[in-house]
Every structure is written in structure tokens, then in C-alpha cells.
Amino acid sequence: MPLEAGLLEILACPACHAPLKEQDTELICTSQDCGLAYPVRDGIPVLLVDEARRPE
């Protein structure tokens, strides 16, 4: 389910404050150094570092 228009523009990675991009059911940090992937559950981004998936 795509996020509401405009929401992605104001969200940032909680770990490094870089912009996020939507990919499938996750929000991916655009920073090369960080790259954390945050889950989106029932249309709600879970922006908790403890819940994020580390880059592969």
C-alpha cells in the first residue's frame, strides 16, 4: 500500500536523518553509510531503529 502523498517528503531516517525512499513494504534510508530499511505495517511506517533491517 503506497504511503499518503506528501508523507514521504517529511519523513527521515531516525538514525542519520537522511531522506527515505519507498520500496515494496519498506522505507529505505538513502544514505550510503546507513542504508537501514524500516518496515511499513498496515500503511504505517515503523521508524524505530530496533525494528529496522540492516543493509545486506
Side-chain angles (χ1 to χ4, degrees):
M1 173 197 291
L3 293 178
E4 188 175 317
L7 180 60
L8 199 54
E9 294 175 16
I10 61 172
L11 293 178
C13 175
C16 71
H17 308 290
L20 298 169
K21 67 179 179 181
E22 192 171 11
Q23 182 177 342
D24 299 325
T25 60
E26 295 180 316
L27 294 178
I28 310 293
C29 177
T30 58
S31 170
Q32 294 292 338
D33 296 328
C34 181
L36 291 174
Y38 298 93
V40 177
R41 296 185 186 127
D42 297 323
I44 301 169
V46 181
L47 298 178
L48 299 171
V49 175
D50 292 343
E51 294 282 326
R53 180 177 56 80
R54 299 281 172 198
E56 297 171 354

